[in-house]
Amino acid sequence: MTKDFDLTRLLAERGAERYDLHTKHLNHQLPRMLHTIGFDRVYERAEGAYFWDADGNDYLDMLAGFGVMGLGRHHPVVRKALHDVLDASLADLTRFDCQPLPGLLAEKLLAHSPHLDRVFFGNSGTEAVETALKFARYATGRPRILYCSHAFHGLTTGSLSVNGEDGFRDGFAPLLPDTAVEMGDLDALERELKRGDVAGFVIEPIQGKGVYAPPPGFLRGAQELLRRHKSLLIVDEVQTGLGRTGDFYAYQHEDGVEPDLICVAKALSGGYVPVGATVGRDWIFKKVYSSMDRVLVHSASFGSNAQAMAAGLAVLSVIEDEQIVANARVTGDLLRTRLAALVDRYELLHEVRGRGLMIGIEFGRPTSIKLRGRWTMLQAARKGLFAQMVVVPLLQKHRILTQVSGDHLEVIKLIPPLTIGEREVERFVDAFTAVMDDAHDGGGLMWDFGRTLVKQAVANR
């Protein structure tokens, strides 16, 4: 007789071993890194935009699981949808039928993408990008994809080939023969297109690494060039989509832009189930799936599974019913305005930028002699250490979780759940102000920790 599996008991018995288990069986550098910066906390539960530890202390989440928790954790509507779909005992993933949930989710997603016609469901953002790359190549009959310097589109081989960060690419060559152009440089884009071998151009409407937006008019100008040269515009909305920037898609901030393919993932399932979607034009899909012999030419074993589809339907329903996009716009404007007002107050604070609830806080070289020496010491060891020095006290002293926005960048990125409001804005701004005050005092624990980071950076060279 099968022994009952009791997950609650297993977690109660073995949960305290979490860091040891990870060190022994998974990525051993992760617990080492978390311990070094004091992030090795034990979170017991989570709801909305907050975590709680075993002592009942609350932590404000300004990271949202790298953006997957768009509605916060354990949204009741999404949670109920998952319970309902499990209780329904559907004949899922038979592979030789057509279940209703994928069609319903595609219909709802396409309602927000009115110039597009069809959807392919995979399991992640990188799969959504891989799908777009394959479809663009097949539909155009051309081999090359253009992308932007410093872009991030995923870490599998195809998506890594259009990843503009060398740190992710090093050691994994040879990659696909794709070409980077500088974001905003229409002349460089046109030079590449004139070679006649470009299938498409993939771009984040706001780059996740550093929170950099293209200059006004660039997306529309790129689209005109691509159409003239019969190449496709692929917009990666994996992090920026579903309301993050104050519009359903971030490309919609620029009038007249209608991508040929859109990549969606992360927040689509509310963080519960891996999911990705590639949304595209009818003619592209019909060219890829041109005959019954090609019906499975591009597919995913877990693509369109019932749990992911049910979660996606619930997420889109919540986005509409609870006016999530409008809240991201209003709350994001409030947060960005409050932070931007501090730029003139703190010499280490260089710029605050972004849209909606995707905000980049950039630090820069101070002017005073007192702080300039300390800044130079950090930069000599490793660029990005000052931003890490800000992230750490935000968690340790103020219980707010944030992240440094990319390797060697002096930028903190805020991508909180889209459900946060004025209370969370006040808490973050108060905490950030306190950390900036400490940094500009020129001494104390913050700069002591900076020396620890310098030693660690030098040791890792």
Side-chain angles (χ1 to χ4, degrees):
M1 183 175 177
T2 303
K3 183 179 178 182
D4 287 342
F5 172 69
D6 188 334
L7 181 62
T8 302
R9 187 178 66 206
L10 179 64
L11 288 173
E13 292 174 351
R14 305 286 307 276
E17 302 173 41
R18 62 189 71 192
Y19 282 90
D20 291 338
L21 288 167
H22 208 109
T23 299
K24 185 175 181 180
H25 300 300
L26 299 165
N27 179 351
H28 64 290
Q29 294 289 6
L30 177 60
R32 182 185 174 203
M33 180 271 288
L34 294 173
H35 177 72
T36 299
I37 64 174
F39 269 40
D40 50 345
R41 303 296 173 96
V42 174
Y43 303 111
E44 295 288 343
R45 64 185 183 90
E47 185 175 344
Y50 292 91
F51 311 118
W52 285 267
D53 63 21
D55 296 323
N57 298 309
D58 70 337
Y59 295 76
L60 174 59
D61 177 20
M62 298 295 282
L63 182 56
F66 297 140
V68 300
M69 302 291 181
L71 301 180
R73 282 167 171 78
H74 306 302
H75 192 286
V77 174
V78 185
R79 188 183 178 101
K80 181 179 184 302
L82 286 166
H83 281 287
D84 289 347
V85 76
L86 289 171
D87 290 344
S89 299
L90 298 176
D92 193 25
L93 299 180
T94 67
R95 288 304 171 208
F96 289 99
D97 72 341
C98 292
Q99 288 288 312
L101 292 178
L104 291 169
L105 179 56
E107 180 181 70
K108 206 166 183 66
L109 196 55
L110 288 166
H112 294 280
S113 327
H115 70 286
L116 299 179
D117 314 284
R118 296 183 183 274
V119 182
F120 175 85
F121 288 114
N123 305 288
S124 67
T126 194
E127 279 191 38
V129 171
E130 293 277 1
T131 299
L133 301 185
K134 287 178 67 177
F135 280 27
R137 285 187 163 114
Y138 194 86
T140 63
R142 298 172 177 178
R144 205 155 55 102
I145 302 289
L146 304 179
Y147 62 98
C148 289
S149 303
H150 311 297
F152 184 91
H153 295 291
L155 297 176
T156 51
T157 303
S159 57
L160 189 61
S161 300
V162 292
N163 193 321
E165 291 291 335
D166 289 339
F168 289 109
R169 297 163 63 99
D170 289 349
F172 295 107
L175 300 172
L176 301 179
D178 298 324
T179 306
V181 297
E182 287 297 322
M183 185 169 64
D185 191 341
L186 288 174
D187 291 337
L189 179 62
E190 186 170 24
R191 282 196 301 272
E192 295 298 332
L193 289 170
K194 283 181 176 178
R195 292 172 56 179
D197 62 347
V198 174
F201 173 48
V202 59
I203 183 172
E204 302 158 275
I206 299 178
Q207 287 187 338
K209 298 296 180 183
V211 192
Y212 294 109
F218 177 70
L219 284 177
R220 190 168 60 252
Q223 176 177 269
E224 291 169 2
L225 288 173
L226 289 159
R227 287 180 177 171
R228 193 183 310 158
H229 291 274
K230 296 181 170 53
S231 300
L232 304 183
L233 175 60
I234 305 165
V235 175
D236 181 345
E237 294 270 5
V238 168
Q239 186 164 114
T240 55
L242 278 68
R244 168 61 58 191
T245 66
D247 266 328
F248 190 84
Y249 293 122
Y251 78 81
Q252 292 171 333
H253 289 287
E254 189 165 317
D255 292 337
V257 178
E258 293 188 343
D260 300 294
L261 293 160
I262 301 173
C263 303
V264 179
K266 285 193 183 291
L268 183 56
S269 77
Y272 273 104
V273 188
V275 66
T278 306
V279 189
R281 296 188 185 276
D282 184 70
W283 73 267
I284 297 173
F285 276 66
K286 284 186 174 174
K287 199 152 189 179
V288 173
Y289 300 110
S290 57
S291 68
M292 284 191 287
D293 288 343
R294 291 180 58 82
V295 70
L296 295 177
V297 73
H298 185 74
S299 60
S301 295
F302 283 94
S304 299
N305 71 81
Q307 288 80 19
M309 300 298 97
L313 283 163
V315 165
L316 293 183
S317 178
V318 170
I319 287 175
E320 295 165 4
D321 293 346
E322 298 186 10
Q323 299 184 313
I324 296 298
V325 179
N327 184 69
R329 183 166 57 250
V330 172
T331 305
D333 286 348
L334 175 63
L335 178 56
R336 193 171 58 257
T337 301
R338 292 286 308 278
L339 291 170
L342 301 176
V343 171
D344 291 337
R345 179 172 165 182
Y346 297 113
E347 58 179 299
L348 284 160
L349 185 55
H350 176 67
E351 184 184 20
V352 177
R353 57 178 175 265
R355 285 187 181 273
L357 284 170
M358 184 173 184
I359 296 172
I361 304 171
E362 183 168 0
F363 306 101
R365 187 173 184 266
T367 54
S368 65
I369 295 174
K370 178 181 72 172
L371 292 175
R372 210 183 307 154
R374 295 173 183 271
W375 174 267
T376 302
M377 173 193 70
L378 291 174
Q379 299 301 298
R382 192 176 193 274
K383 193 173 180 183
L385 290 187
F386 181 79
Q388 191 66 62
M389 281 172 53
V390 175
V391 163
V392 168
L394 280 173
L395 181 71
Q396 292 186 343
K397 295 180 68 174
H398 303 280
R399 303 196 309 277
I400 298 176
L401 183 63
T402 58
Q403 69 167 129
V404 177
S405 181
D407 200 26
H408 296 91
L409 289 179
E410 293 289 6
V411 181
I412 290 176
K413 179 168 62 177
L414 307 181
I415 45 171
L418 306 183
T419 53
I420 68 165
E422 190 171 347
R423 178 174 72 128
E424 287 77 24
V425 168
E426 293 294 331
R427 177 168 172 175
F428 180 81
V429 173
D430 288 347
F432 182 75
T433 302
V435 172
M436 285 290 95
D437 284 340
D438 286 347
H440 286 76
D441 285 344
L445 293 176
M446 187 170 176
W447 290 100
D448 288 342
F449 178 68
R451 284 189 284 272
T452 300
L453 289 178
V454 167
K455 291 176 183 176
Q456 188 70 31
V458 171
N460 284 333
R461 283 180 173 175

